[in-house]
Amino acid sequence: MAKSIVIIGAGQAATQAANSLRQYGFNGKITMLGDEGIAPYQRPPLSKAYLMGEIEIARLKFRDDDQWERDGIDMRPNAGVANIDRAAKMVVTKSGEKIAYDNLIIATGSRVRKISCENSELKGIHYLRTLAQSDALKADLDKAKSIAIIGAGYIGLEVAAIARKKGLSVTVIELAPRVLARVATPIISQYFENLHASHGVNIMTNCALKAFGGKDKVQRVLLEDGREIAADVVLVGIGIVPNCEIAIDAGIICTNGIDVDENAGTNDANIYACGDCTNRQLELYGIRMRLESVHNAIEQAKLAAAHIMGAEPPKLDTPWFWSDQYDVKLQIAGLSNGATQHIVRGNIADNKFAVFHLNDDNRILAVDAINSPGEFLIGKKLVMGSAKIAPHIISNLDISIKELAALAVE
């Protein structure tokens, strides 16, 4: 049995791994190594309630600072890792400290993808992944009159909603032909384009960025087609990159993230990985991919802790995601990859509906729920159970969502 476990990272996955190890009865030493200079906190609110100023830092943190010590977890927020010495089973921090481990969990997460163009280093150009970045963006939003957002993914659209609530003029610039193109189907994309347009957001799709304009501070965005967009502030939200460099340097197999098995294990029997930095097999869909979600971080952390402790692995859940924009909550269960049918349940105009994504055999692959928590919760179960339901039954509102679930064929 391991006596010392080191966790590299101090986010959702790292925190869950430490919690689960204690819950499974591990009473040895747990050392958590972070590099942000702050105790672990939730990231999703950084582009939502926290950016709006509706919640304080204390509510972001997973626990009170002194709770880490009470739980016997040596949490070090200023201990970035330089490398892993697998032969010696030791982690070396950037300060040169060597920390031995019996088992190692890599939960290094991800970082923002940087943009490369003329004047991309001007002041006023922001990225949003960390607490410090959210604070910097919030400070500029409070002084600005206009913002240009590069990228119409979840982060970009969530910030667009916050900026409009703060009274800013907002322009969203997207290279793809629709918003949320990488993560949502056309029905949901169109819904959110209409929603933002109704709130006065200028959404520009099929637009390529050329450069930023300004002297000491950004003043405008220059597009490849010659158009210029005035902006006091710019947010760049063009995706994230897995932090797997130290794993690669240590000889751990990585393919767009750290390759892990069903127990979150790597090609080193003593090393596990979980969260945004990993690439995992999703048996439900027969694909291997990176999942950027709270669900994935929690689930993989539990799997790693259970395997280390020789415990029964936790039951797997349907991948789930969410986004808050204005008074709309989008909840997604499953992945729509491979769907050929997209069945709307409810009235889109009422801002309360769900889209069920089915394959040719009427198997439910995913459910997108707009202000419809019942459809989301039932949808998760239906997706996980590989349930089949005829499209005409799904769209029939005379059949309640609970009754609909009872009619599923597995």
Side-chain angles (χ1 to χ4, degrees):
M1 177 68 68
K3 295 181 180 180
S4 177
I5 296 176
V6 173
I7 303 172
I8 304 176
Q12 181 90 56
T15 299
Q16 184 62 58
N19 291 346
S20 294
L21 285 167
R22 290 296 186 228
Q23 290 165 2
Y24 282 123
F26 180 69
N27 56 14
K29 184 177 182 180
I30 299 177
T31 304
M32 185 184 297
L33 306 175
D35 61 3
E36 278 192 52
I38 187 172
Y41 61 88
Q42 304 173 67
R43 294 190 191 277
L46 297 181
S47 59
K48 306 178 182 74
Y50 181 76
L51 186 63
M52 190 63 197
E54 296 173 344
I55 61 175
E56 302 297 325
I57 292 177
R59 287 181 58 189
L60 293 183
K61 292 184 177 181
F62 288 113
R63 62 181 77 188
D64 295 335
D65 290 346
D66 59 355
Q67 184 66 45
W68 295 100
E69 184 176 353
R70 291 200 299 271
D71 290 343
I73 299 169
D74 183 10
M75 202 283 296
R76 307 186 192 182
N78 291 297
V81 173
N83 64 276
I84 302 165
D85 186 338
R86 289 171 54 195
K89 295 178 68 173
M90 196 169 290
V91 168
V92 183
T93 69
K94 291 179 180 178
S95 67
E97 181 182 4
K98 296 180 179 180
I99 305 171
Y101 64 82
D102 294 306
N103 286 114
L104 175 66
I105 299 175
I106 303 174
T108 45
S110 56
R111 62 185 182 278
V112 294
R113 188 182 300 278
K114 293 292 187 75
I115 204 162
S116 178
C117 66
E118 184 181 353
N119 292 327
S120 60
E121 301 301 322
L122 283 173
K123 292 180 181 179
I125 299 176
H126 294 266
Y127 294 85
L128 182 51
R129 182 67 179 166
T130 68
L131 180 62
Q133 289 171 334
S134 186
D135 285 339
L137 176 60
K138 181 163 56 175
D140 268 7
L141 288 179
D142 289 342
K143 298 179 293 184
K145 293 183 178 180
S146 62
I147 182 174
I149 298 172
I150 313 301
Y154 288 132
I155 295 295
L157 295 186
E158 287 169 2
V159 172
I162 295 297
R164 284 302 295 141
K165 287 182 179 181
K166 288 178 174 286
L168 277 72
S169 171
V170 181
T171 300
V172 177
I173 300 164
E174 171 58 47
L175 181 62
R178 58 186 175 90
V179 306
L180 300 173
R182 189 175 66 87
V183 294
T185 55
I187 294 174
I188 295 298
S189 292
Q190 188 61 60
Y191 172 79
F192 278 102
E193 286 187 26
N194 293 342
L195 176 68
H196 281 275
S198 72
H199 283 83
V201 176
N202 178 26
I203 294 181
M204 304 172 66
T205 55
N206 290 306
C207 288
L209 173 70
K210 180 179 181 180
F212 296 108
K215 292 185 179 180
D216 297 327
K217 186 180 182 298
V218 69
Q219 295 177 312
R220 58 192 179 277
V221 177
L222 287 66
L223 303 181
E224 287 286 359
D225 62 11
R227 286 180 290 177
E228 295 187 7
I229 310 298
D232 301 322
V233 183
V234 169
L235 172 72
V236 178
I238 55 173
I240 60 176
V241 179
N243 292 324
C244 53
E245 286 78 9
I246 60 171
I248 293 172
D249 291 343
I252 296 171
I253 297 174
C254 299
T255 310
N256 185 29
I258 302 169
D259 288 8
V260 295
D261 60 21
E262 68 276 10
N263 298 308
T266 69
N267 57 299
D268 185 316
N270 299 305
I271 299 179
Y272 298 78
C274 48
D276 284 1
C277 64
T278 68
N279 185 318
R280 67 183 293 192
Q281 181 70 24
L282 297 176
E283 296 297 342
L284 187 63
Y285 298 94
I287 57 175
R288 172 174 280 277
M289 65 180 295
R290 268 194 320 111
L291 282 179
E292 303 164 4
S293 69
V294 169
H295 151 261
N296 182 59
I298 293 173
E299 185 169 86
Q300 284 194 305
K302 291 181 177 179
L303 288 168
H307 197 256
I308 288 172
M309 296 301 295
E312 186 74 19
K315 184 179 179 181
L316 299 183
D317 195 6
T318 304
W320 51 265
F321 317 83
W322 86 96
S323 178
D324 295 324
Q325 300 172 40
Y326 307 108
D327 57 350
V328 169
K329 177 175 284 293
L330 166 65
Q331 294 172 290
I332 299 175
L335 304 172
S336 58
N337 307 48
T340 56
Q341 305 178 74
H342 310 282
I343 312 303
V344 176
R345 176 179 170 83
N347 189 348
I348 294 177
D350 293 337
N351 293 321
K352 183 179 174 61
F353 67 97
V355 183
F356 286 67
H357 306 284
L358 285 61
N359 66 7
D360 289 337
D361 295 327
N362 292 340
R363 175 191 163 199
I364 300 174
L365 301 178
V367 177
D368 299 334
I370 298 289
N371 294 333
S372 300
E375 273 71 10
F376 169 69
L377 291 173
I378 296 296
K380 281 179 66 178
K381 296 178 181 178
L382 293 173
V383 172
M384 199 64 203
S386 297
K388 296 181 180 181
I389 305 180
H392 73 277
I393 295 177
I394 293 173
S395 60
N396 188 348
L397 294 182
D398 290 332
I399 302 174
S400 72
I401 188 63
K402 290 185 178 180
E403 291 171 329
L404 184 149
L407 296 172
V409 177
E410 298 185 4

